[in-house]
């Protein structure tokens, strides 16, 4: 027992890392941090509980002290949902131990949360195998034994899938150093106004319970040691009470350093309509029949543990969609928007009463000035215009068509309640002949001369569009600094790829950046092409990328794509890609290009060529013949092409 305790204390940060990454991301970072610490702190063997599982072995085998602790941590992290989480959801308290009140917790940026986000969607056993092998350095056989002892269904398959996960070493290397401590957390207070109201309500509820209990004891003569248990605790009862909804003052956004959804005031003509608010909260908690529910990937849909914040309640003209098929497209619907931690919930119903009810859930992790700037007020039918509720810090709104980069933006009217006039939205089917977006400008009280672009991809939260220009061209910027997609160069870069946004609908996307990472002269005098990487970053962390070759004329040529990758993002700034290309003269070439730190490119296999600099051009080999591309960085490190080969389709 003492030896196991010493091992747990010595390896506490590594065990926290294992638990945090293994736990499902759908529960949110705050709960994930708490449950990770709980799993580790309860991993000690019970006194007199017999030998560790797994039999005898070395210190890293299932039978050793560290192996036994790891097995208990894995069992707790791999357990589906868990009694503690279910209890937490019912009574509105964090899991125990430890208790945390008045603070939100999350891992610091650049640490274990980045790894957890990259592995989002993978089974828990795969995430655990990734940590044990790629970060803790255990041999594959040892990882298989640990997962098997922890009860994983197919540990060998989990290890194989973890090994196949492409993750940039530049992200993992700092996490292996002794200086990295995964048990360090960042904190911030929950809304202080909400906390003050909770304390007052809590004391009032406690006093009422005490008074009620005392009255019952006197009335029925029960012994002093027999407590009376109310049917529902005061916290559970308060969650569904419209009077307990948090309402932020109208000017709070102008006097805070936290400019996100928590600074939104409650707006709309029906914020005092208790019946509407009660139906919205009741539908969220009970899910009665006839309520259509959608949720972005990785978004929890469980009822709130505390009273949420009211953002909007009112009737919206033209918000009717598929959920209310009997209503005309321009019919009015009642809309309620609520904020609960790192998610926004949109409830709608027919304006005349509870018919055609919908619930939509969207994540809002670390939303800011741009990603908390607007919320869609409904799900209009395909091709119908939509209305948006804009953040209180938006001073001006307009629309523009991404497919027409030379056109000016068109002004969009905004009412006193922050609701826009109907705005065109992209069609989800048929010909892609227009791609309308919002162009918003922040108030000078937040940031001067700041405009940005948002695209509606069907979720309550529109997607932030950005552009990173060529590193050596006009307007070049340092690496990892996307710019707003408002200038002429950004609009020209977005025009050829805008219609590809249709592929991202319903994917929980937070932002999409078009990165022009290289330019190269095409052979046979065909002009100059630009290499781009379009990265769609999800609220959950992982991103999907599409690399294209933007030619002087005609549509871009797809080069390669990858899913759930760090490439083309903050932790994947080194990039190499290649493709086959046919010149106007009818000759085939192998083209390759790398990002700004690439110093030389080499091709081996069916094509053998080498070039100093960031681009390579060579006669192509036979179609389908394997070609391997590698690049040397200015630091001396080597990288391979994103697609693992230079091949493409004729």
């Amino acid at each position: 027992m003492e030896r196991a305790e010493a091992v747990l204390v010595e390896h506490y940060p590594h065990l926290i890392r294992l638990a945090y990454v293994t736990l499902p991301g759908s529960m949110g970072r705050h709960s994930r941090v708490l449950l990770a610490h709980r799993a580790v702190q309860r991993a000690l063997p019970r006194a007199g509980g017999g030998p560790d599982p797994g039999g005898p072995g070395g210190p890293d085998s299932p039978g050793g002290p560290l192996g036994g602790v790891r097995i208990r941590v894995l069992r707790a992290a791999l357990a589906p949902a868990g009694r503690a989480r279910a209890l937490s959801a019912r009574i509105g308290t964090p899991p125990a131990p430890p208790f945390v009140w008045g603070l939100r917790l999350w891992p610091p940026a650049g640490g274990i949360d980045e790894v957890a986000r990259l592995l989002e969607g993978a089974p828990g056993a795969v995430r655990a195998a990734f940590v044990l092998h790629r970060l803790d350095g255990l041999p594959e056989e040892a990882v298989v034994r640990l997962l098997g002892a922890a009860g994983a269904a197919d540990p060998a398959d989990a290890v194989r899938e973890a090994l196949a996960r492409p993750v940039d070493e530049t992200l993992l290397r700092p996490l292996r150093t002794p200086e990295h401590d995964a048990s360090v957390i960042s904190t911030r207070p929950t809304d202080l106004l909400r906390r003050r109201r909770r304390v007052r309500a809590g004391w009032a509820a406690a006093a009422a319970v005490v008074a009620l209990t005392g009255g019952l004891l006197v009335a029925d003569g029960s012994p002093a040691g027999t407590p009376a248990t109310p049917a529902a605790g005061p916290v559970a009862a308060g969650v569904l009470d419209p009077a307990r909804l948090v309402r932020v003052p109208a000017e709070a956004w102008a006097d805070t350093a936290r400019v996100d959804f928590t600074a939104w005031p409650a707006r709309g003509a029906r914020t005092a309509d208790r019946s509407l608010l009660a139906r919205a909260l009741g539908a969220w908690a009970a899910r009665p029949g006839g309520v259509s529910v959608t949720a972005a990937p990785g978004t929890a849909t469980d009822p709130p543990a505390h009273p949420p914040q009211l953002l909007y309640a009112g009737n919206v003209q033209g918000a009717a969609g598929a959920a209310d098929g009997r209503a005309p497209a321009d019919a009015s619907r009642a809309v309620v928007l609520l904020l609960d931690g790192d998610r926004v919930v949109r409830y709608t119903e027919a304006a005349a009463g509870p018919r055609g009810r919908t619930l939509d859930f969207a994540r809002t992790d670390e939303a800011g000035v741009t990603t908390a700037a607007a919320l869609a007020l409904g799900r209009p039918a395909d091709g119908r215009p939509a209305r948006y509720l804009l953040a209180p810090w938006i001073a001006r709104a307009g629309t523009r068509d991404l497919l027409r980069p030379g056109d000016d933006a068109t002004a969009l009217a905004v009412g006193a309640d922050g609701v826009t006039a109907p705005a065109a939205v992209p069609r989800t089917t048929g010909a892609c002949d227009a791609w309308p977006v919002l162009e918003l400008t922040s108030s000078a009280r937040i940031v001067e001369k700041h405009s940005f672009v948002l695209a509606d991809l069907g979720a309550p939260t529109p997607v932030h569009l950005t552009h990173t220009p060529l590193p050596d061209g006009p307007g070049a910027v340092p690496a990892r600094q996307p710019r707003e997609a408002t200038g002429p160069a950004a609009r020209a870069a977005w025009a050829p790829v805008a219609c590809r946004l249709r592929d991202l609908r319903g994917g929980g996307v937070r932002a999409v950046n078009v990165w022009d990472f290289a330019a190269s002269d095409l052979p046979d005098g065909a002009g100059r092409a630009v290499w781009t990487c379009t990265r769609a970053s999800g609220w959950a962390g992982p991103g999907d990328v599409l690399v294209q070759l933007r030619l002087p004329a005609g549509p871009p040529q797809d080069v390669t794509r990858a899913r759930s990758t760090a490439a083309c993002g903050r932790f994947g700034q080194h990039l190499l890609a290649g493709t086959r290309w046919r010149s106007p003269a009818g000759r085939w070439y192998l083209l390759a290009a790398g990002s700004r730190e690439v110093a030389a490119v080499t091709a081996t296999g069916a094509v053998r060529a080498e070039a100093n600099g960031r681009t390579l051009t060579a006669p192509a080999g036979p179609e389908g013949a394997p070609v391997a591309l590698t690049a040397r960085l200015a630091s001396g490190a080597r990288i391979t092409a994103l697609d693992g080969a230079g091949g493409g389709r004729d």
Side-chain angles (χ1 to χ4, degrees):
M1 178 77 173
E2 286 139 359
R3 188 177 175 191
E5 182 177 358
V7 165
L8 186 147
V9 172
E10 179 184 356
H11 296 275
Y12 192 83
H14 289 177
L15 295 169
I16 291 293
R17 179 173 65 191
L18 175 62
Y20 184 89
V21 176
T22 304
L23 285 164
S26 58
M27 63 180 58
R29 294 180 300 170
H30 178 80
S31 297
R32 207 171 182 180
V33 166
L34 288 173
L35 288 175
H37 283 268
R38 179 179 186 272
V40 175
Q41 291 174 16
R42 304 188 80 178
L44 287 175
R46 296 181 179 179
D52 283 355
D60 280 338
S61 71
L66 178 55
V69 172
R70 277 175 169 150
I71 290 169
R72 292 185 182 88
V73 170
L74 287 170
R75 284 176 176 168
L78 292 170
R83 288 178 298 173
R85 184 174 177 228
L87 178 62
S88 171
R90 285 200 306 272
I91 66 175
T93 61
F99 291 99
V100 176
W101 295 101
L103 290 175
R104 298 293 295 178
L105 312 179
W106 73 95
I112 58 174
D113 198 44
E114 301 295 339
V115 176
R117 290 183 178 191
L118 289 174
L119 298 174
E120 191 80 31
V126 174
R127 298 194 298 269
F130 186 94
V131 174
L132 292 169
H133 179 66
R134 299 287 294 275
L135 295 178
D136 292 344
L138 295 186
E140 298 175 36
E141 299 79 7
V143 177
V144 171
R145 291 199 301 272
L146 282 170
L147 291 176
D154 193 346
D157 185 64
V159 172
R160 283 192 296 271
E161 185 174 341
L163 292 175
R165 287 267 164 174
V167 177
D168 194 338
E169 276 296 312
T170 58
L171 168 63
L172 302 182
R173 197 174 299 117
L175 304 184
R176 301 190 187 105
T177 62
E179 293 78 14
H180 177 74
D181 189 343
S183 61
V184 172
I185 58 174
S186 298
T187 67
R188 69 183 176 205
T190 53
D191 186 82
L192 299 179
L193 178 62
R194 178 189 299 188
R195 189 193 306 177
R196 181 182 301 174
R197 290 178 176 174
R198 283 181 190 161
V199 170
R200 291 174 179 170
W203 280 112
V209 170
V210 169
L212 177 62
T213 304
L216 289 174
L217 292 177
V218 171
D220 65 7
S222 300
T226 307
T229 304
V235 174
V239 168
L240 303 181
D241 183 357
R244 296 281 305 278
L245 289 171
V246 176
R247 300 167 188 254
V248 173
E251 290 297 312
W253 65 272
D255 193 27
T256 178
R258 185 179 173 187
V259 184
D260 58 14
F261 287 113
T262 62
W264 281 37
R267 290 173 287 177
R270 299 183 68 176
T271 55
D273 189 335
R274 288 181 57 92
S275 297
L276 172 63
L277 299 177
R279 287 196 298 273
L281 292 168
W284 184 359
R287 306 286 173 79
V291 177
S292 171
V293 180
T294 67
T299 307
T301 61
D302 51 316
H306 305 286
Q309 177 181 336
L310 178 62
L311 304 180
Y312 181 84
N315 292 344
V316 179
Q317 196 76 19
D324 195 11
R326 291 173 295 174
D330 59 350
S332 179
R333 288 181 64 78
V335 179
V336 177
L337 296 175
L338 301 166
L339 175 68
D340 179 49
D342 288 339
R343 58 181 175 167
V344 160
V345 182
R346 181 179 65 199
Y347 170 82
T348 73
E349 66 177 29
R355 188 182 72 249
R357 306 166 77 187
T358 69
L359 272 175
D360 301 285
F361 295 82
R363 290 180 69 154
T364 60
D365 310 45
E366 298 181 0
V369 173
T370 56
T371 47
L375 288 173
L377 287 172
R379 297 188 229 159
D382 191 22
R384 296 286 184 176
R387 293 178 186 263
Y388 302 89
L389 179 66
L390 302 185
W393 57 82
I394 297 302
R396 189 168 64 253
T399 62
R400 68 164 63 248
D401 186 352
L402 287 182
L403 300 188
R404 294 164 179 80
D407 293 357
D408 293 332
T410 302
L412 181 64
V414 182
D417 58 355
V419 176
T420 69
V425 297
R427 294 189 63 90
T428 61
T429 58
C432 181
D433 51 10
W435 199 273
V437 293
L438 295 175
E439 185 168 294
L440 308 179
T441 302
S442 301
S443 166
R445 298 166 70 179
I446 295 295
V447 57
E448 292 186 6
K449 300 179 180 179
H450 177 227
S451 297
F452 52 95
V453 173
L454 301 179
D456 190 333
L457 298 186
T461 50
V463 176
H464 183 206
L465 304 185
T466 56
H467 171 245
T468 305
L470 286 168
D472 50 5
V477 295
R480 295 182 293 168
Q481 292 190 14
R483 290 182 169 181
E484 301 299 349
T486 53
R491 295 199 297 269
W494 263 104
V497 299
C499 289
R500 302 300 287 269
L501 290 172
R502 184 179 282 182
D503 301 335
L504 303 177
R505 290 185 61 86
V509 178
R510 172 182 181 172
V512 183
N513 180 55
V514 173
W515 175 27
D516 295 340
F517 66 90
S520 60
D521 292 322
L522 298 172
D524 295 342
R528 190 168 176 82
V530 176
W531 296 76
T532 69
C533 182
T534 302
R535 176 181 173 85
S537 299
W539 291 98
D544 297 344
V545 302
L546 170 66
V547 177
Q548 294 178 301
L549 183 64
R550 198 162 71 230
L551 302 168
Q557 177 176 319
D558 288 1
V559 175
T560 187
R561 63 192 314 157
R563 299 190 179 278
S564 298
T565 178
C568 307
R570 178 182 176 189
F571 298 103
Q573 69 270 33
H574 303 311
L575 180 65
L576 175 66
T579 188
R580 284 168 57 91
W581 174 79
R582 187 177 185 178
S583 78
R587 287 184 282 268
W588 287 97
Y589 291 90
L590 170 67
L591 306 180
S595 51
R596 69 163 62 222
E597 290 297 316
V598 169
V601 181
T602 301
T604 57
V607 177
R608 304 188 68 84
E610 186 171 0
N612 290 325
R614 294 167 41 217
T615 62
L616 177 146
T617 301
E623 179 186 358
V627 177
L629 288 171
T630 59
R632 176 175 53 84
L633 303 181
S635 64
R638 303 196 74 85
I639 61 173
T640 59
L642 181 64
D643 59 351
R649 293 183 182 272
D650 285 356

